[in-house]
Amino acid sequence: MSHTILLVQKTQSPASKTYIECNSVALAMDEVISMYEEYLKKKFPQKERIEFDVNEVLDMVFHLPDCAALVLDQKSGSYVPHDKSWIQKQVVVRAQSRAR
């Protein structure tokens, strides 16, 4: 388990910058997927059941003004930065493992 910090800017406003701390990369990717679920719940409040495809989550990540992850490297004790494309790959991995 590698401590992971998600850095997210949800809108063009610098005030929308935030971070989320997670105990693992998998949990951080769950947070990314949850961000999309929350967006859909707000967009379609009348729907009891919301379904979406992982590609929609990837598109959300792509269109965020800023999104990055810092993952703790246990050996060096330092955080390794990762960009949106890495996050998108990890979201796919997580979605596949959740589907099993």
Side-chain angles (χ1 to χ4, degrees):
M1 300 200 32
S2 294
H3 187 259
T4 303
I5 303 170
L6 281 174
L7 306 169
V8 181
Q9 182 176 349
K10 293 181 181 180
T11 69
Q12 292 298 331
S13 170
S16 73
K17 290 182 180 182
T18 189
Y19 70 94
I20 304 164
E21 288 189 69
C22 302
N23 289 329
S24 69
V25 171
L27 292 174
M29 297 310 110
D30 286 344
E31 289 290 336
V32 173
I33 294 167
S34 291
M35 284 188 329
Y36 190 67
E37 290 171 344
E38 289 303 314
Y39 162 76
L40 290 177
K41 286 178 186 177
K42 288 179 184 174
K43 187 173 181 180
F44 303 108
Q46 70 283 3
K47 288 195 173 189
E48 286 184 29
R49 181 180 167 112
I50 296 176
E51 295 180 17
F52 58 92
D53 184 273
V54 69
N55 290 319
E56 295 173 62
V57 180
L58 302 180
D59 190 57
M60 176 205 66
V61 171
F62 178 79
H63 286 96
L64 287 171
D66 200 5
C67 186
L70 301 172
V71 180
L72 181 63
D73 177 1
Q74 299 289 346
K75 288 183 181 179
S76 69
S78 62
Y79 284 87
V80 178
H82 297 283
D83 63 6
K84 286 181 184 183
S85 64
W86 181 88
I87 292 170
Q88 289 171 314
K89 290 174 189 170
Q90 296 304 311
V91 165
V92 170
V93 169
R94 185 62 178 159
Q96 289 171 341
S97 72
R98 284 172 57 166
R100 294 180 187 161

